[in-house]
Amino acid sequence: MSSTETRADLIVVGAGPAGASAALAAHRAGLAVVLIDEAGRPGGQVWRAPAAGVAIPEALRTQDDRDGAELRAAVAASGLRFVGDARVWSVTGRFRVDAATEAGTEAFVAPRLVAATGAHERVVPFPGWTLPGVIGLAAATVLLKSEAMLPGRRTVVAGCGPLLAAVAAKIVAGGGTVSGLVDLAGPADWLAVAPRLARRPRLLRQGLGWMIRIGLARVPVHFRHAVVAAEGGEAVEQVVIAPVDAEGAPVAGTRHRIAADALAVGHGLLAGAEIPRLLRASLRFEAEAGGWIPVLDTAGRTSIAGLYAAGDGAGIAGAAGALLSGRLAGLAAARDAGALAEGAFAAARDRILAERHAVEAFAGAVRRLMRPRRGLVDAIAPETVVCRCEDVTRAEIDAAVMAGAREVNQLKHFTRCGMGPCQGRFCGDTAAELVARHVGSREAAGVWTARPPLRPVPLDTLLGDFDYADIPVPKPAPL
Amino acid sequence: MTPVPSRERYDLAVVGGGVHGATVALFCARAGLRTILFERGSLCREASGVNAGTLTMQMTRVALIPYALQAHAMWASAPEWLGHDVGVVVCDGLSLAFTEGEAELLTYRAGKRREAGAPIDLVGPARALEIEPGLSERVLVAGHCKVDGFANAYLTGLAYRAALIEAGVTLCEQVPVAGAVPDGGGYELDTAAGTVRARRLVLAGGVWLEEMAAWLGLRLPIKVLINQLAVTERIAPVMRTVVGIASGLLSLKQYPHGTVVIGGGWQGRGDRVQGGVELVPDSLIGNMRLACHAIPALRRSRLARAWAGLEAETRDALPAAGPIPGFPDAWICGSVHSGYTSGPFIAKRLADRILERGEPDPLFPIDRLLAPEAGAAPSAPVAEAPLS
């Protein structure tokens, strides 16, 4: 009853800029490549394709959409095998990837694997963050890009980093109202990173374009402010904001209440390193790069032979960085498979590393703007829910630490924090920060042990049709 | 914070902080022994914390039934003697047969377990459906046991931790022990927190008992089972009993918060050095198919998480619990098949022996398990066994 098994030279999980370029590079070098993604078409989050049947109005189209279309065309023309709408639920060693699709389950086996699973967003909890109408900044971009849909009629856009302006500008362009843009950073923070942002003139122009659009729409901008509560009955009705210090801690000053029916909020990005974690590759903690990331050599090799990591899942670096790290990992896989001579590989590697160096200053500036702010976490009120799958509050996390939980997996056992369907993707960073406050460091607080499935998967899809006689029940236990 | 062990000799040192070690330490400390407990990780985070939590007679070895019945009563009254709740639910349990072969196996096994004292009746499909309305209609016959139920295994560490501290045990979590040797007045332990001396020694290392026995020059082969488990997201009630299968290869129940835990001892990959490193997807699917065959409504749920837990098994799949031959005041306690269910009672009886209380219980002396000479291959271990 084994699933259908497809063999390849290389499996790439994730078809964003990193994964798609890894797959293309390896395929061009002669490897048989399978590229797998949750979405129906390549593009990932930044270059996300519109949903089937959704026409994105010209006014909403951006350079990202054009880059995404180009990537999709390149994958389609290449002849490599793309498996879309596939939920990867198991990844095991040397390497077998099991994916659930509408058609059932399929297993892919290859001696090499590139993990390019991107990032997910960090939302530091505040009272009301679980109300309907509150969504992540990245979730808002998905709605806008993929569905051409506004988060609400009057949306507050809050948090940090360039996504703020991107989301606000897209809402305005789509005919919505942004009732407030609430930025943890102040003008001085933006000025401090401006020279590094200027290293990528096209992206800087794009950002300025967003700002102009926001300015023309007379969106009220609140620098050095944070959302301290979302309030409402059935759904969000108003958003409370307060001035904060550089670390995001609320300070004395006027609290504003902004009427809104949606709040798009995000406090930076977390590297999605689930596959390296699942396969027990060496990890290291780097707060600005998105938390726990795999230890890599210059070409993207992890500590596990044959396992590579690229893109934001290997450390937040944005689409340009992802494209380059993906290409490099794909070439390294081809090199390690013997399809590419060392000389050709080394030359290509050096060119890519030089290009990556050029985009690194910009990426570093963006990381700086999206960095985690200690004060935000410290300000979480005791009764605020941190783990929304299991309704675990900050007070319960603190109490578990007082009861002896020294690291996050013990915390999980004491409180069920991180035991819900998201497996700690939403609460993990905050919970670990809270534990770290008591045990000294994030390294000491540890990291959730990764468990399959990578995303919840319907049993119906996994199990398919079967006869009882086909279940290979092992021999009975001793009496 | 981990306490700094005293330089003075303890009355008892326990190595291994699972249910066995923690229970021995708890009862000995309450009886007045100055007790220190070492756990290389966190309390009850291996087999005692990641098992399926089933407290069932229908998957328990016949020789263990008398212990398991007593242990079941202990789990059911945990707030009274442990002082803390581990979320125990006592409910009916069913063991199912879907084929003639399974019916034969079930009838034979239920009979043997009944002879050993387990209150198991055989019931037909109609009665089985009354007991468990979520059941598939394809059941031919079922074993029905009223002494069944489950605990929230992940709460075990939290509960024991509080109890041990209240009992005054010097609890050393995250403190590995590298060795223990006799030193005249008892035993000297080489620990990450320095040398510690104790008059008495209990080794309660589960799958790691083989290494621990080797500290004393003994060869005690212990097989490691890598039991896979899966849990669904929270769903509306689909079942209210513990459901198993004649072969023992299914353990299934729904927790009050809505998740359904699917187990049965299907094997993943790993070993005692690396832990359960990897799940086998086809085995996981086989186990889940069996579960959905038993409780069809389960098919509509989503798989939220799957993991593997290590279970220890001796050569004859019975516990290693008793004195260590040739080493006065040293005992071994652990490697119990379906150990979560029986653990508290076996460990409590060992504590009684250490304290020289009550009727002496022969327990399961390890003499039978010790390999005659290093390098000799142990006899074939008994196969698959579910982690309760």
Side-chain angles (χ1 to χ4, degrees):
Chain A
M1 67 134 220
S2 294
S3 320
T4 334
E5 198 174 282
T6 303
R7 293 193 169 270
D9 297 324
L10 175 68
I11 299 166
V12 180
V13 180
S21 59
L24 285 167
H27 174 78
R28 281 173 195 144
L31 298 194
V33 180
V34 175
L35 173 63
I36 308 173
D37 201 274
E38 254 179 348
R41 288 189 286 162
Q45 301 303 330
V46 175
W47 292 349
R48 175 175 279 269
V54 173
I56 301 292
E58 187 53 43
L60 285 180
R61 273 187 212 157
T62 64
Q63 185 61 40
D64 285 344
D65 299 321
R66 290 184 280 276
D67 290 341
E70 197 178 307
L71 183 83
R72 285 183 280 281
V75 171
S78 70
L80 70 84
R81 172 141 188 236
F82 173 70
V83 182
D85 291 318
R87 214 164 259 257
V88 167
W89 69 275
S90 167
V91 182
T92 52
R94 289 186 155 274
F95 289 102
R96 171 170 153 153
V97 173
D98 284 72
T101 64
E102 284 308 310
T105 63
E106 193 169 357
F108 302 90
V109 178
R112 278 160 285 277
L113 173 68
V114 175
T117 48
H120 48 273
E121 60 191 324
R122 173 194 291 115
V123 177
V124 178
F126 48 86
W129 76 294
T130 54
L131 275 177
V134 180
I135 63 170
L137 279 179
T141 67
V142 171
L143 273 185
L144 290 157
K145 278 184 192 173
S146 182
E147 311 285 343
M149 187 188 278
L150 297 170
R153 281 173 299 133
R154 290 166 303 155
T155 305
V156 172
V157 177
C160 57
L163 268 180
L164 283 176
V167 168
K170 266 192 182 290
I171 290 172
V172 169
T177 300
V178 177
S179 17
L181 194 157
V182 186
D183 192 344
L184 282 172
D189 301 312
W190 283 94
L191 278 176
V193 297
R196 282 187 281 163
L197 293 178
R199 302 275 285 276
R200 302 280 308 281
R202 180 169 80 70
L203 292 179
L204 182 65
R205 268 201 307 282
Q206 185 183 42
L208 292 174
W210 294 333
M211 294 311 290
I212 289 165
R213 185 163 259 164
I214 292 163
L216 288 175
R218 299 183 192 283
V219 171
V221 178
H222 307 268
F223 286 116
R224 274 287 171 91
H225 274 68
V227 172
V228 293
E231 297 173 341
E234 297 291 301
V236 60
E237 289 161 18
Q238 53 192 356
V239 174
V240 187
I241 67 168
V244 294
D245 66 15
E247 287 305 311
V251 294
T254 315
R255 266 67 179 158
H256 295 284
R257 275 194 159 68
I258 307 173
D261 61 359
L263 166 61
V265 59
H267 301 117
L269 296 175
L270 293 161
E274 286 101 329
I275 291 176
R277 202 150 52 89
L278 197 58
L279 295 173
R280 302 186 177 202
S282 301
L283 305 176
R284 64 193 174 91
F285 182 78
E286 200 182 312
E288 281 194 21
W292 287 97
I293 55 175
V295 175
L296 300 178
D297 76 357
T298 53
R301 297 179 182 96
T302 69
S303 63
I304 307 240
L307 178 66
Y308 310 78
D312 282 349
I316 306 298
L323 199 70
L324 294 168
S325 70
R327 191 178 300 154
L328 190 48
L331 291 173
R335 154 83 191 83
D336 298 344
L340 194 61
E342 175 59 30
F345 168 69
R349 178 194 60 207
D350 294 346
R351 272 198 309 277
I352 293 170
L353 288 176
E355 260 190 87
R356 228 167 69 176
H357 184 71
V359 301
E360 186 46 38
F362 181 90
V366 172
R367 278 199 296 269
R368 185 73 196 146
L369 291 166
M370 296 196 306
R371 78 193 151 84
R373 279 134 171 110
R374 209 184 150 81
L376 268 188
V377 174
D378 289 334
I380 300 171
E383 63 279 10
T384 301
V385 167
V386 172
C387 169
R388 65 185 191 189
C389 297
E390 294 291 335
D391 273 342
V392 181
T393 63
R394 180 198 177 143
E396 289 170 293
I397 292 172
D398 288 341
V401 173
M402 291 307 155
R406 311 309 298 165
E407 50 91 30
V408 292
N409 291 297
Q410 207 176 4
L411 173 75
K412 187 171 169 177
H413 270 200
F414 282 20
T415 62
R416 288 191 66 85
C417 184
M419 274 170 95
C422 93
Q423 289 208 51
R425 257 187 292 276
F426 281 101
C427 63
D429 190 65
T430 301
E433 276 294 308
L434 291 172
V435 174
R437 295 284 188 276
H438 297 274
V439 299
S441 69
R442 282 295 293 270
E443 284 78 5
V447 57
W448 306 123
T449 304
R451 308 288 196 203
L454 298 182
R455 303 281 190 276
V457 52
L459 256 55
D460 209 29
T461 311
L462 272 185
L463 303 189
D465 291 325
F466 62 93
D467 289 326
Y468 185 64
D470 296 336
I471 303 174
V473 180
K475 68 175 174 174
L479 183 65
Chain B
M1 281 310 195
T2 294
V4 178
S6 161
R7 298 172 66 87
E8 289 166 49
R9 200 177 277 278
Y10 286 86
D11 294 326
L12 170 67
V14 178
V15 188
V19 164
H20 289 90
T23 305
V24 172
L26 180 67
F27 284 104
C28 288
R30 283 182 182 167
L33 299 193
R34 210 161 143 263
T35 302
I36 186 165
L37 171 64
F38 293 96
E39 166 54 49
R40 66 169 194 170
S42 305
L43 215 56
C44 299
R45 282 272 299 135
E46 298 286 353
S48 297
V50 301
N51 72 80
T54 305
L55 306 172
T56 181
M57 299 305 124
Q58 298 199 77
M59 285 161 69
T60 296
R61 298 215 60 200
V62 168
L64 277 173
I65 294 274
Y67 295 86
L69 284 167
Q70 303 261 19
H72 188 283
M74 282 180 77
W75 281 122
S77 62
E80 287 156 39
W81 63 268
L82 186 58
H84 300 273
D85 193 15
V86 265
V88 172
V89 172
V90 173
C91 63
D92 291 299
L94 291 173
S95 180
L96 311 177
F98 293 109
T99 66
E100 292 298 339
E102 285 174 356
E104 201 178 309
L105 186 68
L106 181 73
T107 306
Y108 177 72
R109 293 185 157 211
K112 287 289 179 193
R113 289 187 169 112
R114 189 166 48 236
E115 282 168 27
I120 298 173
D121 295 323
L122 290 179
V123 297
R127 174 74 186 121
L129 266 164
E130 273 172 32
I131 297 164
E132 176 50 78
L135 216 55
S136 153
E137 288 175 358
R138 302 189 208 179
V139 173
L140 294 184
V141 60
H144 173 219
C145 184
K146 285 186 115 40
V147 184
D148 213 308
F150 51 88
N152 276 326
Y154 60 83
L155 291 176
T156 317
L158 178 61
Y160 269 98
R161 192 174 200 286
L164 289 168
I165 289 168
E166 286 155 14
V169 173
T170 304
L171 178 57
C172 298
E173 290 180 285
Q174 322 294 339
V175 181
V177 176
V181 290
D183 73 342
Y187 294 87
E188 183 182 289
L189 282 77
D190 173 13
T191 86
T195 300
V196 172
R197 291 180 177 80
R199 289 186 182 84
R200 304 174 187 82
L201 174 67
V202 170
L203 302 178
V207 298
W208 298 277
L209 270 180
E210 185 168 322
E211 280 83 346
M212 291 183 184
W215 296 340
L216 301 173
L218 301 174
R219 195 169 134 67
L220 175 65
I222 302 285
K223 187 189 175 190
V224 181
L225 305 179
I226 313 293
N227 292 329
Q228 295 189 160
L229 288 155
V231 62
T232 69
E233 64 189 333
R234 295 176 183 228
I235 52 171
V238 295
M239 62 188 299
R240 63 188 193 200
T241 61
V242 171
V243 168
I245 188 167
S247 61
L249 273 296
L250 177 66
S251 131
L252 185 64
K253 72 274 181 185
Q254 185 165 24
Y255 280 82
H257 56 253
T259 63
V260 177
V261 172
I262 303 169
W266 293 62
Q267 296 295 289
R269 297 192 189 99
D271 55 50
R272 66 176 140 244
V273 178
Q274 304 175 77
V277 288
E278 186 171 283
L279 302 183
V280 176
D282 289 333
S283 284
L284 208 51
I285 286 178
N287 196 178
M288 292 189 295
R289 281 181 169 173
L290 202 51
C292 292
H293 189 77
I295 303 288
L298 199 51
R299 256 189 104 92
R300 294 197 294 271
S301 67
R302 291 191 304 170
L303 172 67
R305 195 166 60 253
W307 68 97
L310 268 46
E311 182 175 25
E313 192 177 82
T314 60
R315 183 157 48 194
D316 58 8
L318 288 172
I324 301 178
F327 294 86
D329 295 321
W331 292 269
I332 268 179
C333 189
S335 294
V336 184
H337 203 272
S338 307
Y340 190 75
T341 302
S342 311
F345 183 69
I346 288 175
K348 182 168 181 283
R349 292 315 288 262
L350 187 76
D352 287 341
R353 279 199 75 156
I354 293 168
L355 297 163
E356 296 172 352
R357 282 180 171 178
E359 289 293 301
D361 185 316
L363 288 167
F364 296 87
I366 63 166
D367 309 60
R368 73 192 200 279
L369 302 169
L370 295 175
E373 59 200 66
S379 63
V382 193
E384 303 81 7
L387 190 69
S388 41

